[in-house]
Amino acid sequence: MLDPALAFQTAVRAALIDAPEVLAHVQPANIRAGSIRPERLPSVVLGDARTEFLGCAAGSQRLARVFLTLHIWAQEDGADTARQIGAAIYGALEFGPKDTAEISLDDWTQPRMVWLRDPQPELTLTHGAMALEAVVRWRV
């Protein structure tokens, strides 16, 4: 594996799809990587990841710190759906995604959340961004 960001992104998506609290608000097909502003709502969009390679570990392993931003989108309906989705995602990722066949998590930073004003207020969308950060290890 050249860049562990895709494996990390896949592990995060799997954790969200495995969380009934998240699926109570968002359809699995709407939890995806892709363009930031979704066509279907509510949605969780996994944004571009950033990788910081940290070096080698024992047994032909590599280490990297991976950063990923999740974008939470919902139609503003007065019930604060987007914030409910954010709380459900936090619950699903509080201790990080599970290790996979491709990567193991060596360190997990608690998610950070910010709510943003929609640049097109006439669409009445609520947009939140959750920053994820982990140190991952994989075998070459």
Side-chain angles (χ1 to χ4, degrees):
M1 171 180 2
L2 203 50
D3 185 349
L6 184 57
F8 178 66
Q9 187 178 55
T10 301
V12 167
R13 184 176 187 274
L16 298 180
I17 289 176
D18 286 345
E21 300 82 9
V22 174
L23 295 183
H25 300 287
V26 183
Q27 296 294 316
N30 292 357
I31 301 172
R32 60 174 183 72
S35 62
I36 299 301
R37 186 180 292 275
E39 298 79 37
R40 298 177 304 219
L41 298 170
S43 289
V44 178
V45 180
L46 289 76
D48 292 332
R50 183 170 60 98
T51 304
E52 181 181 297
F53 292 97
L54 301 175
C56 299
S60 297
Q61 296 182 95
R62 300 293 185 264
L63 293 168
R65 184 174 307 277
V66 180
F67 305 86
L68 179 66
T69 303
L70 299 182
H71 297 272
I72 301 163
W73 290 93
Q75 188 73 40
E76 187 55 60
D77 58 4
D80 224 0
T81 302
R83 292 183 188 268
Q84 292 173 16
I85 295 168
I89 290 172
Y90 179 82
L93 294 174
E94 184 176 5
F95 302 105
K98 294 177 184 171
D99 291 350
T100 69
E102 293 183 295
I103 60 168
S104 297
L105 269 68
D106 282 0
D107 186 40
W108 174 252
T109 302
Q110 290 293 306
R112 295 172 306 280
M113 185 80 198
V114 63
W115 294 99
L116 307 165
R117 183 173 306 228
D118 191 327
Q120 294 180 340
E122 68 277 4
L123 296 179
T124 65
L125 299 179
T126 299
H127 176 207
M130 182 178 285
L132 306 178
E133 178 182 339
V135 173
V136 299
R137 179 175 28 92
W138 71 98
R139 188 169 304 282
V140 178

XYZ file of all heavy atoms in Angstrom, residues 25-119:
736
model
N -30.493 8.145 10.860
C -30.608 9.468 10.242
C -30.163 9.501 8.773
O -30.646 10.324 8.007
C -29.756 10.487 11.003
C -30.147 10.652 12.428
N -31.288 11.308 12.823
C -29.546 10.235 13.565
C -31.377 11.297 14.141
N -30.336 10.648 14.606
N -29.184 8.652 8.421
C -28.554 8.733 7.099
C -28.567 7.356 6.438
O -28.175 6.363 7.058
C -27.085 9.221 7.219
C -26.457 9.368 5.839
C -27.009 10.525 7.984
N -29.011 7.307 5.186
C -28.987 6.060 4.422
C -27.537 5.666 4.127
O -26.703 6.549 3.858
C -29.739 6.237 3.096
C -31.214 6.515 3.265
C -31.929 5.314 3.858
O -31.705 4.179 3.465
N -32.770 5.575 4.846
N -27.201 4.374 4.127
C -25.823 3.953 3.851
C -25.273 4.502 2.531
O -24.096 4.863 2.452
C -25.900 2.424 3.823
C -27.078 2.098 4.673
C -28.059 3.229 4.463
N -26.102 4.585 1.501
C -25.641 5.112 0.207
C -25.252 6.582 0.296
O -24.507 7.083 -0.545
C -26.724 4.925 -0.853
N -25.748 7.297 1.320
C -25.435 8.717 1.493
C -24.221 8.935 2.394
O -23.901 10.068 2.727
C -26.634 9.468 2.059
C -27.771 9.549 1.067
O -27.668 9.102 -0.068
N -28.887 10.097 1.495
N -23.563 7.857 2.794
C -22.301 7.941 3.541
C -21.228 7.532 2.544
O -21.056 6.355 2.237
C -22.305 6.999 4.767
C -23.461 7.356 5.699
C -20.969 7.077 5.493
C -23.667 6.365 6.835
N -20.523 8.525 2.010
C -19.644 8.238 0.873
C -18.546 9.279 0.735
O -18.624 10.356 1.315
C -20.469 8.207 -0.402
C -21.156 9.540 -0.632
C -21.883 9.637 -1.935
N -22.460 10.952 -2.117
C -21.793 12.065 -2.380
N -20.498 12.052 -2.495
N -22.408 13.213 -2.541
N -17.563 8.926 -0.043
C -16.542 9.891 -0.440
C -17.054 10.611 -1.675
O -17.884 10.082 -2.410
C -15.231 9.181 -0.750
N -16.588 11.834 -1.881
C -17.011 12.526 -3.091
C -17.019 14.020 -2.935
O -16.358 14.568 -2.055
N -17.804 14.651 -3.814
C -17.874 16.107 -3.792
C -18.474 16.564 -2.468
O -19.256 15.859 -1.840
C -18.710 16.614 -4.962
O -20.036 16.133 -4.845
N -18.096 17.736 -2.045
C -18.470 18.221 -0.719
C -19.967 18.477 -0.602
O -20.587 18.057 0.347
C -17.669 19.491 -0.362
C -16.178 19.173 -0.345
C -18.103 20.063 0.964
C -15.770 18.093 0.632
N -20.578 19.148 -1.537
C -22.017 19.431 -1.441
C -22.773 18.273 -2.097
O -22.673 18.050 -3.286
C -22.374 20.740 -2.120
C -23.834 21.127 -1.902
C -24.182 22.425 -2.580
N -23.512 23.548 -1.972
C -23.954 24.222 -0.913
N -25.061 23.841 -0.333
N -23.301 25.247 -0.442
N -23.552 17.539 -1.304
C -24.236 16.359 -1.834
C -25.537 16.705 -2.558
O -26.098 17.782 -2.366
C -24.534 15.547 -0.575
C -24.736 16.610 0.465
C -23.755 17.710 0.123
N -26.002 15.754 -3.353
C -27.285 15.911 -4.028
C -28.413 15.381 -3.150
O -29.525 15.875 -3.189
C -27.288 15.146 -5.365
C -26.249 15.635 -6.364
C -24.853 15.092 -6.053
O -24.726 13.928 -5.618
O -23.892 15.854 -6.227
N -28.126 14.317 -2.363
C -29.144 13.689 -1.514
C -28.868 14.026 -0.054
O -27.720 14.013 0.387
C -29.116 12.175 -1.704
C -29.451 11.765 -3.129
C -29.338 10.284 -3.282
N -27.995 9.855 -2.872
C -27.284 8.926 -3.464
N -27.780 8.287 -4.478
N -26.099 8.601 -3.041
N -29.936 14.311 0.677
C -29.807 14.696 2.083
C -30.640 13.776 2.957
O -31.643 13.265 2.493
C -30.273 16.141 2.270
C -29.478 17.186 1.498
C -30.184 18.525 1.583
C -28.066 17.293 2.026
N -30.266 13.620 4.198
C -28.998 14.028 4.795
C -27.863 13.143 4.292
O -28.086 12.019 3.849
C -29.227 13.841 6.293
C -30.308 12.843 6.417
C -31.147 12.958 5.174
N -26.646 13.676 4.378
C -25.471 12.978 3.868
C -24.278 13.173 4.782
O -24.180 14.178 5.482
C -25.087 13.506 2.481
O -26.014 13.115 1.521
N -23.383 12.195 4.716
C -22.063 12.301 5.337
C -21.067 12.083 4.212
O -21.054 11.019 3.584
C -21.853 11.252 6.447
C -20.452 11.364 7.023
C -22.905 11.400 7.533
N -20.275 13.100 3.924
C -19.320 13.040 2.828
C -17.916 12.995 3.405
O -17.530 13.866 4.195
C -19.484 14.255 1.885
C -18.476 14.182 0.748
C -20.904 14.327 1.340
N -17.171 11.964 3.039
C -15.793 11.830 3.478
C -14.926 12.639 2.524
O -14.831 12.316 1.333
C -15.367 10.361 3.485
C -16.013 9.505 4.578
C -17.449 9.162 4.242
C -15.227 8.248 4.791
N -14.350 13.705 3.023
C -13.551 14.609 2.197
C -12.176 14.044 1.912
O -11.833 12.922 2.300
N -11.387 14.828 1.230
C -10.027 14.418 0.898
C -9.211 14.223 2.165
O -9.305 15.007 3.112
C -9.353 15.466 0.006
C -9.993 15.537 -1.364
O -10.535 14.510 -1.817
O -9.961 16.616 -1.972
N -8.405 13.176 2.153
C -7.540 12.871 3.297
C -6.147 13.445 3.068
O -5.744 13.704 1.929
C -7.456 11.366 3.498
N -5.450 13.644 4.163
C -4.062 14.107 4.115
C -3.226 13.092 4.878
O -3.623 12.615 5.938
C -3.952 15.484 4.753
C -2.563 16.091 4.680
C -2.569 17.549 5.107
N -3.020 17.763 6.459
C -2.205 17.921 7.508
N -0.908 17.877 7.360
N -2.702 18.130 8.715
N -2.069 12.739 4.333
C -1.201 11.736 4.943
C 0.156 12.344 5.248
O 0.744 13.025 4.409
C -1.015 10.530 3.989
O -2.295 10.008 3.662
C -0.169 9.452 4.625
N 0.624 12.075 6.457
C 1.954 12.498 6.893
C 2.725 11.223 7.243
O 2.451 10.573 8.249
C 1.790 13.384 8.127
C 3.034 13.941 8.713
C 2.692 14.774 9.943
O 1.990 15.788 9.798
O 3.121 14.388 11.046
N 3.657 10.830 6.396
C 4.402 9.598 6.618
C 5.367 9.786 7.783
O 6.086 10.776 7.859
C 5.137 9.173 5.351
C 4.191 8.751 4.261
C 3.823 9.627 3.259
C 3.637 7.482 4.272
C 2.933 9.253 2.272
C 2.744 7.093 3.291
C 2.388 7.976 2.291
N 5.371 8.808 8.704
C 6.183 8.909 9.925
C 7.400 8.006 9.911
O 8.279 8.165 10.755
C 5.313 8.585 11.149
C 4.093 9.486 11.335
C 3.248 8.997 12.504
C 4.515 10.933 11.537
N 7.458 7.039 9.007
C 8.638 6.189 8.923
C 8.311 4.717 9.048
O 7.194 4.275 8.814
N 9.335 3.972 9.465
C 9.261 2.516 9.512
C 9.098 2.024 10.943
O 9.476 2.687 11.896
C 10.532 1.912 8.928
S 10.792 2.365 7.212
N 8.547 0.816 11.040
C 8.422 0.123 12.320
C 8.948 -1.290 12.113
O 9.268 -1.695 10.991
C 6.973 0.105 12.777
N 9.034 -2.053 13.182
C 9.573 -3.410 13.115
C 8.755 -4.286 12.175
O 7.567 -4.061 11.963
C 9.582 -4.030 14.517
N 9.416 -5.290 11.610
C 8.720 -6.274 10.785
C 8.195 -5.744 9.471
O 7.099 -6.104 9.059
N 8.938 -4.889 8.803
C 8.536 -4.330 7.498
C 7.209 -3.595 7.554
O 6.373 -3.702 6.660
C 8.475 -5.429 6.432
O 9.737 -5.992 6.227
N 7.001 -2.851 8.616
C 5.778 -2.067 8.745
C 6.085 -0.595 8.516
O 7.216 -0.153 8.664
C 5.167 -2.263 10.132
C 4.727 -3.691 10.380
C 4.092 -3.838 11.723
O 2.876 -3.770 11.819
N 4.893 -4.026 12.751
N 5.057 0.155 8.184
C 5.167 1.597 7.977
C 4.155 2.286 8.883
O 3.117 1.719 9.222
C 4.882 1.971 6.527
C 5.811 1.347 5.503
C 7.237 1.875 5.643
N 8.106 1.393 4.606
C 8.900 0.340 4.713
N 8.905 -0.379 5.814
N 9.699 -0.024 3.733
N 4.451 3.544 9.219
C 3.567 4.362 10.049
C 3.251 5.660 9.327
O 4.116 6.233 8.657
C 4.235 4.705 11.380
C 4.499 3.567 12.345
C 5.421 4.029 13.461
C 3.198 3.053 12.914
N 2.033 6.129 9.515
C 1.633 7.429 8.966
C 0.535 8.020 9.828
O -0.256 7.294 10.430
C 1.151 7.293 7.528
N 0.521 9.344 9.898
C -0.592 10.052 10.522
C -1.528 10.449 9.384
O -1.104 11.031 8.385
C -0.095 11.290 11.265
C -1.199 12.030 12.016
C -0.641 13.170 12.856
N 0.416 12.768 13.745
C 0.259 12.216 14.959
N -0.958 11.999 15.410
N 1.287 11.896 15.701
N -2.810 10.103 9.546
C -3.796 10.372 8.503
C -4.841 11.328 9.057
O -5.321 11.160 10.183
C -4.451 9.062 8.021
C -5.467 9.343 6.931
C -3.397 8.087 7.525
N -5.192 12.313 8.277
C -6.206 13.310 8.619
C -7.353 13.179 7.623
O -7.117 13.058 6.417
C -5.633 14.729 8.527
C -4.409 14.945 9.359
C -3.148 14.636 8.855
C -4.503 15.449 10.644
C -2.004 14.839 9.619
C -3.375 15.660 11.413
C -2.119 15.353 10.901
N -8.579 13.204 8.115
C -9.746 13.077 7.254
C -10.833 14.002 7.795
O -11.021 14.090 9.007
C -10.246 11.626 7.265
C -11.476 11.293 6.440
C -11.203 11.464 4.951
C -11.917 9.858 6.730
N -11.541 14.680 6.906
C -12.649 15.532 7.312
C -13.951 14.922 6.822
O -14.084 14.606 5.636
C -12.503 16.955 6.748
O -11.239 17.490 7.175
C -13.620 17.859 7.235
N -14.890 14.744 7.754
C -16.232 14.300 7.407
C -17.116 15.534 7.313
O -17.083 16.388 8.202
C -16.806 13.392 8.493
C -16.091 12.104 8.808
C -16.862 11.344 9.877
C -15.947 11.262 7.576
N -17.909 15.615 6.267
C -18.839 16.725 6.101
C -20.256 16.198 6.307
O -20.671 15.251 5.645
C -18.693 17.355 4.713
C -17.342 17.959 4.504
N -17.064 19.255 4.857
C -16.200 17.421 4.021
C -15.800 19.508 4.582
N -15.252 18.417 4.079
N -20.961 16.803 7.237
C -22.325 16.410 7.571
C -23.258 17.450 6.968
O -23.112 18.647 7.240
C -22.510 16.343 9.093
C -21.521 15.346 9.682
C -23.950 16.016 9.453
C -21.322 15.498 11.174
N -24.206 16.977 6.158
C -25.150 17.870 5.494
C -26.571 17.437 5.790
O -26.892 16.254 5.722
C -24.954 17.828 3.978
C -23.699 18.456 3.490
C -22.505 17.848 3.259
C -23.501 19.825 3.151
N -21.588 18.745 2.796
C -22.180 19.969 2.726
C -24.340 20.946 3.170
C -21.661 21.191 2.315
C -23.823 22.166 2.755
C -22.491 22.280 2.338
N -27.420 18.388 6.104
C -28.843 18.107 6.297
C -29.645 19.353 5.959
O -29.150 20.477 6.102
C -29.125 17.673 7.735
N -30.858 19.120 5.529
C -31.778 20.223 5.297
C -32.182 20.764 6.662
O -32.528 19.990 7.549
C -33.018 19.720 4.552
C -33.944 20.799 4.091
C -33.366 21.570 2.919
O -32.764 20.987 2.036
N -33.558 22.867 2.914
N -32.095 22.053 6.840
C -32.473 22.639 8.131
C -33.981 22.517 8.283
O -34.735 23.051 7.495
C -32.030 24.100 8.220
C -32.246 24.688 9.579
C -31.582 23.877 10.690
O -30.363 23.720 10.670
O -32.312 23.385 11.562
N -34.395 21.771 9.301
C -35.823 21.505 9.472
C -36.341 21.910 10.845
O -37.447 21.564 11.212
C -36.108 20.027 9.233
C -35.313 19.123 10.154
O -34.599 19.642 11.033
O -35.399 17.902 9.998
N -35.533 22.607 11.592
C -35.960 23.026 12.911
C -35.736 21.982 13.982
O -35.778 22.276 15.158
N -35.492 20.727 13.595
C -35.292 19.654 14.562
C -33.805 19.396 14.804
O -33.444 18.484 15.521
C -35.972 18.384 14.085
N -32.961 20.187 14.163
C -31.524 20.069 14.347
C -30.995 18.702 13.941
O -30.171 18.098 14.628
C -31.148 20.396 15.786
C -29.937 21.293 15.852
O -29.400 21.661 14.799
O -29.511 21.605 16.959
N -31.452 18.218 12.806
C -31.064 16.907 12.295
C -29.557 16.779 12.139
O -28.972 15.760 12.509
C -31.758 16.636 10.941
O -33.162 16.721 11.137
C -31.388 15.280 10.387
N -28.914 17.786 11.599
C -27.468 17.704 11.373
C -26.713 17.507 12.682
O -25.771 16.709 12.751
C -26.974 18.959 10.655
N -27.115 18.193 13.725
C -26.437 18.025 15.019
C -26.710 16.658 15.629
O -25.846 16.085 16.287
C -26.817 19.157 15.961
C -26.231 20.494 15.484
C -26.547 21.616 16.450
N -26.153 22.884 15.902
C -24.959 23.459 16.097
N -24.065 22.856 16.825
N -24.682 24.621 15.563
N -27.871 16.109 15.384
C -28.150 14.744 15.834
C -27.258 13.750 15.101
O -26.743 12.799 15.699
C -29.625 14.398 15.619
C -30.562 15.174 16.516
C -32.021 14.928 16.170
O -32.360 13.980 15.473
N -32.890 15.802 16.654
N -27.072 13.967 13.814
C -26.187 13.114 13.028
C -24.753 13.245 13.550
O -24.051 12.249 13.722
C -26.252 13.467 11.528
C -27.649 13.177 10.980
C -25.188 12.709 10.739
C -27.904 13.760 9.602
N -24.316 14.470 13.818
C -22.968 14.689 14.356
C -22.757 13.956 15.668
O -21.706 13.336 15.889
N -23.751 13.984 16.553
C -23.644 13.277 17.837
C -23.580 11.771 17.616
O -22.800 11.069 18.285
C -24.820 13.643 18.733
N -24.355 11.255 16.668
C -24.336 9.825 16.376
C -22.983 9.400 15.799
O -22.443 8.346 16.150
C -25.464 9.464 15.416
N -22.428 10.239 14.926
C -21.114 9.944 14.348
C -20.053 9.964 15.429
O -19.187 9.085 15.485
C -20.780 10.936 13.220
C -21.682 10.675 12.017
C -19.311 10.840 12.819
C -21.574 11.714 10.935
N -20.119 10.961 16.304
C -19.149 11.011 17.408
C -19.225 9.728 18.234
O -18.207 9.137 18.583
C -19.367 12.236 18.295
C -18.382 12.253 19.442
C -17.101 12.734 19.241
C -18.722 11.732 20.683
C -16.174 12.713 20.280
C -17.805 11.701 21.715
C -16.528 12.198 21.505
O -15.608 12.155 22.518
N -20.438 9.273 18.543
C -20.593 8.039 19.307
C -19.995 6.836 18.594
O -19.379 5.975 19.212
N -20.155 6.792 17.276
C -19.621 5.674 16.494
C -18.101 5.710 16.395
O -17.460 4.665 16.257
C -20.228 5.687 15.096
N -17.520 6.914 16.464
C -16.069 7.059 16.269
C -15.330 7.519 17.520
O -14.153 7.852 17.441
C -15.802 8.051 15.134
C -16.262 7.613 13.751
C -16.062 8.740 12.750
C -15.519 6.361 13.306
N -15.997 7.517 18.661
C -15.368 8.023 19.883
C -14.032 7.338 20.175
O -13.076 7.974 20.611
C -16.311 7.844 21.061
C -15.768 8.424 22.350
C -16.746 8.339 23.492
O -17.837 7.747 23.339
O -16.421 8.881 24.557
N -13.954 6.044 19.914
C -12.728 5.298 20.185
C -12.025 4.878 18.897
O -11.130 4.044 18.911
C -13.026 4.090 21.068
C -13.652 4.495 22.373
C -15.004 4.303 22.590
C -12.902 5.118 23.351
C -15.594 4.699 23.782
C -13.481 5.534 24.547
C -14.836 5.315 24.763
N -12.433 5.442 17.778
C -11.804 5.168 16.493
C -12.435 3.994 15.775
O -13.145 3.199 16.377
N -12.181 3.911 14.479
C -12.688 2.760 13.723
C -11.897 1.503 14.098
O -10.799 1.588 14.646
C -12.454 3.154 12.265
C -11.351 4.148 12.312
C -11.466 4.848 13.632
N -12.455 0.362 13.790
C -11.784 -0.908 14.070
C -10.608 -1.109 13.120
O -10.612 -0.620 11.987
C -12.765 -2.064 13.905
C -13.882 -2.056 14.906
C -14.842 -3.191 14.638
C -16.019 -3.114 15.593
N -17.066 -4.051 15.254
N -9.616 -1.858 13.601
C -8.521 -2.264 12.726
C -9.088 -3.103 11.583
O -10.106 -3.786 11.742
C -7.493 -3.091 13.495
C -6.715 -2.275 14.526
O -6.822 -1.040 14.521
O -5.993 -2.891 15.329
N -8.425 -3.044 10.446
C -8.839 -3.825 9.284
C -7.703 -4.751 8.879
O -6.625 -4.731 9.485
C -9.193 -2.902 8.098
O -7.992 -2.290 7.616
C -10.207 -1.833 8.498
N -7.917 -5.512 7.832
C -6.855 -6.380 7.316
C -5.701 -5.552 6.760
O -4.566 -6.022 6.715
C -7.417 -7.305 6.241
N -5.982 -4.317 6.354
C -4.952 -3.469 5.749
C -4.210 -2.594 6.746
O -3.017 -2.365 6.591
C -5.579 -2.574 4.680
C -6.084 -3.319 3.478
C -6.621 -2.357 2.451
O -7.630 -1.685 2.744
O -6.011 -2.267 1.376
N -4.919 -2.035 7.740
C -4.284 -1.096 8.669
C -4.680 -1.387 10.114
O -5.741 -1.956 10.379
C -4.650 0.374 8.350
C -6.169 0.594 8.454
C -4.084 0.822 7.024
C -6.590 2.053 8.440
N -3.805 -0.952 11.015
C -4.084 -0.959 12.452
C -3.934 0.464 12.949
O -3.056 1.198 12.486
C -3.098 -1.855 13.192
O -3.221 -3.187 12.765
N -4.769 0.861 13.892
C -4.661 2.189 14.487
C -3.748 2.123 15.701
O -3.991 1.344 16.610
C -6.036 2.706 14.918
C -6.783 3.526 13.872
C -7.202 2.666 12.711
C -7.941 4.227 14.492
N -2.692 2.920 15.689
C -1.788 2.993 16.830
C -2.139 4.147 17.754
O -1.823 4.118 18.933
C -0.339 3.157 16.353
C 0.261 1.851 15.864
O -0.435 0.816 15.892
O 1.433 1.859 15.451
N -2.766 5.180 17.207
C -3.142 6.339 18.006
C -4.400 6.943 17.392
O -4.544 6.977 16.164
C -2.005 7.372 18.026
C -2.290 8.535 18.951
O -2.827 8.301 20.054
O -1.988 9.680 18.580
N -5.301 7.411 18.246
C -6.554 8.008 17.789
C -6.771 9.301 18.546
O -6.727 9.327 19.768
C -7.715 7.035 18.042
C -9.062 7.594 17.741
C -10.014 7.954 18.653
C -9.621 7.863 16.456
N -11.133 8.432 17.999
C -10.916 8.389 16.652
C -9.144 7.728 15.151
C -11.732 8.761 15.608
C -9.955 8.104 14.108
C -11.238 8.603 14.318
N -7.010 10.372 17.834
C -7.324 11.669 18.428
C -8.836 11.838 18.417
O -9.486 11.572 17.400
C -6.660 12.801 17.623
O -5.242 12.567 17.612
C -6.951 14.156 18.231
N -9.396 12.270 19.533
C -10.842 12.466 19.605
C -11.294 13.410 18.485
O -10.632 14.412 18.206
C -11.239 13.056 20.965
C -11.088 12.082 22.102
C -12.079 10.937 21.989
O -13.272 11.148 21.888
N -11.563 9.724 21.990
N -12.425 13.086 17.833
C -12.917 13.939 16.739
C -13.184 15.369 17.211
O -13.544 15.608 18.352
C -14.232 13.256 16.337
C -14.072 11.842 16.774
C -13.252 11.905 18.028
N -12.974 16.308 16.290
C -13.253 17.719 16.535
C -14.330 18.155 15.547
O -14.295 17.782 14.386
C -11.976 18.539 16.339
C -10.904 18.194 17.382
C -9.559 18.833 17.110
N -8.981 18.590 15.802
C -8.327 17.476 15.442
N -8.202 16.486 16.276
N -7.807 17.360 14.250
N -15.281 18.963 16.021
C -16.440 19.319 15.213
C -16.600 20.826 15.133
O -16.391 21.526 16.116
C -17.677 18.697 15.882
C -18.934 18.856 15.136
S -18.978 17.631 13.831
C -20.218 18.342 12.808
N -16.972 21.296 13.962
C -17.305 22.712 13.789
C -18.540 22.789 12.883
O -18.691 21.999 11.953
C -16.115 23.518 13.193
C -15.752 23.050 11.806
C -16.410 24.995 13.197
N -19.434 23.714 13.226
C -20.622 23.930 12.406
C -20.414 25.200 11.599
O -19.980 26.222 12.126
C -21.871 24.030 13.284
C -22.128 22.716 13.942
C -21.808 22.360 15.207
C -22.677 21.556 13.337
N -22.138 21.055 15.438
C -22.684 20.531 14.301
C -23.184 21.272 12.067
C -23.171 19.247 14.054
C -23.675 19.994 11.806
C -23.665 19.008 12.800
N -20.704 25.126 10.299
C -20.410 26.209 9.373
C -21.692 26.801 8.807
O -22.682 26.101 8.614
C -19.557 25.683 8.214
C -18.292 24.930 8.626
C -17.732 24.165 7.460
C -17.292 25.904 9.191
N -21.613 28.055 8.511
C -22.719 28.721 7.824
C -22.661 28.321 6.351
O -21.602 28.344 5.732
C -22.560 30.227 7.956
C -23.691 31.020 7.350
C -23.508 32.451 7.685
N -23.364 32.541 9.143
C -24.011 33.387 9.901
N -24.810 34.256 9.358
N -23.847 33.413 11.192
N -23.785 27.955 5.805
C -23.831 27.558 4.399
C -23.522 28.773 3.526
O -24.110 29.836 3.721
C -25.208 26.990 4.057
C -25.226 26.310 2.697
O -24.493 26.751 1.793
O -25.966 25.350 2.531
N -22.604 28.623 2.558
C -22.285 29.761 1.688
C -23.444 30.155 0.776
O -23.432 31.229 0.196
C -21.084 29.270 0.875
C -21.123 27.787 0.976
C -21.798 27.449 2.259
